[in-house]
Every structure is written in C-alpha cells, then in structure tokens.
Amino acid sequence: MTLAKELTGPLAGAGYLREAEFQLRVICRRDGKEVLDRTVTVRAGRSVTLPELLLTGTRCWAAELPSGASAVTVSHPDEQHAAVVTAEAPDLTVTAVNEYRPAALALLKRTTGTGAAAAADREFTVELSCTLTTAPGTAPIVLADRRRYQLRPGTVRPVDDLPDPLPAGARCWLGEPDRNGAAEVTVEHDSAERALLLTTDPASLEVTNRFDTTEPPPPPLPITGSVPGPWAAGSLALLLLGLAARYAARRW
C-alpha cells in the first residue's frame, strides 16, 4: 500500500512547504477485523510505501490529521469509499491533496489617551511572528520570526514583503519591544498561545498605545498680609522699640 501527498492551490510551490511533513491515519480491515491502524508521515510531493502485505479482500482508507490547509481531498477517505485489494489490483494507493491559499494580513497602530495628539508623528517598531503547523506534534514551520515593521498612528501596513505570501491556516502574533513613552500597550494577539488564525478573509493585527498627559505642578501661592512672615514680626518689634524710646524722652 502506498500513500502519496500532493499540494495544489496558489501556494503549492511556496518555499516553506517544500519540506513540510503531513500525517495520514491509515486503517485497513478484512472480514470485519482490523488488520492495520497506523499514523504515517508523508512529505509534500512524495510517497511512502508500507511494508505490510495485504490479503485479497482487505479494505483500506486514510484520513489526514490537521494540516492548516484550506482544503484537503483524500482519494479513499473512509470505509464507504475504501480501496480494495483484489487479485487484479493487489497494490493500493491512497492520495491526499492539500490546497494552500494566501491570506491577507495588515498591521495597524492606534494611539489613545489625553496625550495621543503629541504622539501623532512618532514611529513605532513592532515585531511580527507567524508559524504554520502541518501535522500534530511536529515543529511548526516558521514563516516570520519577530520581523520588524515601522508604524505610525492611524496607518495600515500590509504584510506583503515576505518571500512567499502567508497562507490561510497560519497563526500570527505581534509584539512591541519599546513602548516609546506610552503609559500602556495593548495587543490582543501578543503570543503564540494567543495567536490570530489566518483565513482567506482579510485580517489585521493591532497595537494600541495609551498616552496620558502629565499636568505641570501648580505655581506657589503669593505671600499676602494675612499670614505675617518673620520679616513682619521683626519690623513690628523695631517700631515698638522706637515708640517706647520717644515716649521715655518726652517724660524726661
């Protein structure tokens, strides 16, 4: 029995899919008894031949495990559509075809808060990361690893500078290494665990920075006569001494 993997769609020739690994769960039964149940890894554009010899009357099919593809077509996907070993056709082939289509992703910077106007002309650095998992338990394919972009508030930056377009099925997230004076930074999809799953519909990753206005301290209150200072007490003492001296001179 041979398992074959083919790719189709606009991204079938993308560089990141050349060595991609996929997994098919193969099941075979004969006379109602299971004779084979195995998960097999197959690379794109290649095939794998299983070592088991299958007797006449054996029925086999395969299902592909999640691969991030836009669509998956398997020639014999279930028992109702199984491939059957016969004396005339003892060799079975199950082919799985994956379609990969591009996704449209844009990056957006927003500023809020009372001090947002002061940051309107600033440039902010953000870092984009994207991965694609083509088989459970395998290392994800890295599509972008903290790739840097410069954003200004209110502007939209399409991600259109990668060697190959991002595929639907990829997971992307965004980080901002420098707050650039912001009091708070908010990113909904800021890690691999909280990544955005891309589809064929346009999507965006947003970073929002809050800027608060710093109020200057109020000026000191002027000194008024209602609160006498040390100089006022000293002047009063001198005045009283002068009056006392004049009074004493008149008595003599």
Side-chain angles (χ1 to χ4, degrees):
M1 180 179 181
T2 299
L3 303 176
K5 166 57 61 181
E6 297 178 4
L7 302 183
T8 188
L11 298 181
Y16 50 75
L17 291 174
R18 289 173 188 162
E19 297 298 322
E21 294 184 342
F22 304 86
Q23 292 180 346
L24 296 171
R25 182 185 176 189
V26 184
I27 297 176
C28 295
R29 289 177 183 166
R30 185 174 185 271
D31 296 332
K33 296 181 180 179
E34 194 167 280
V35 296
L36 181 65
D37 186 347
R38 180 188 302 175
T39 298
V40 181
T41 298
V42 186
R43 292 184 182 273
R46 304 178 190 177
S47 60
V48 172
T49 299
L50 303 184
E52 287 83 1
L53 296 177
L54 302 175
L55 300 177
T56 301
T58 302
R59 302 169 59 84
C60 297
W61 63 95
E64 180 164 301
L65 303 186
S67 60
S70 297
V72 178
T73 303
V74 181
S75 58
H76 301 281
D78 50 45
E79 190 168 11
Q80 288 71 32
H81 302 88
V84 183
V85 177
T86 64
E88 297 76 15
D91 299 326
L92 304 182
T93 298
V94 176
T95 302
V97 180
N98 291 33
E99 180 185 15
Y100 283 93
R101 305 191 64 82
L105 178 65
L107 310 179
L108 176 62
K109 162 63 66 176
R110 297 184 186 275
T111 53
T112 63
T114 55
D121 295 329
R122 296 185 191 178
E123 277 198 342
F124 298 81
T125 299
V126 297
E127 295 178 339
L128 173 67
S129 297
C130 296
T131 61
L132 175 67
T133 300
T134 57
T138 61
I141 299 171
V142 178
L143 307 173
D145 183 15
R146 291 174 291 181
R147 188 178 183 89
R148 291 198 164 194
Y149 293 87
Q150 302 296 320
L151 304 180
R152 288 182 180 273
T155 60
V156 178
R157 172 64 162 89
V159 179
D160 55 5
D161 59 340
L162 299 175
D164 292 297
L166 292 170
R171 299 171 60 84
C172 296
W173 62 96
L174 204 59
E176 187 171 70
D178 185 359
R179 287 174 172 249
N180 209 349
E184 182 182 35
V185 177
T186 303
V187 187
E188 182 179 359
H189 305 283
D190 59 356
S191 63
E193 294 73 24
R194 294 163 50 87
L196 172 68
L197 177 63
L198 302 186
T199 67
T200 53
D201 296 326
S204 64
L205 289 172
E206 300 182 7
V207 181
T208 302
N209 292 40
R210 193 191 83 232
F211 289 89
D212 298 333
T213 302
T214 303
E215 298 291 341
L221 296 175
I223 298 175
T224 65
S226 60
V227 182
W231 61 271
S235 299
L236 179 60
L238 291 175
L239 177 61
L240 292 176
L241 286 174
L243 291 175
R246 290 179 60 185
Y247 178 74
R250 288 181 181 178
R251 292 188 59 187
W252 294 100

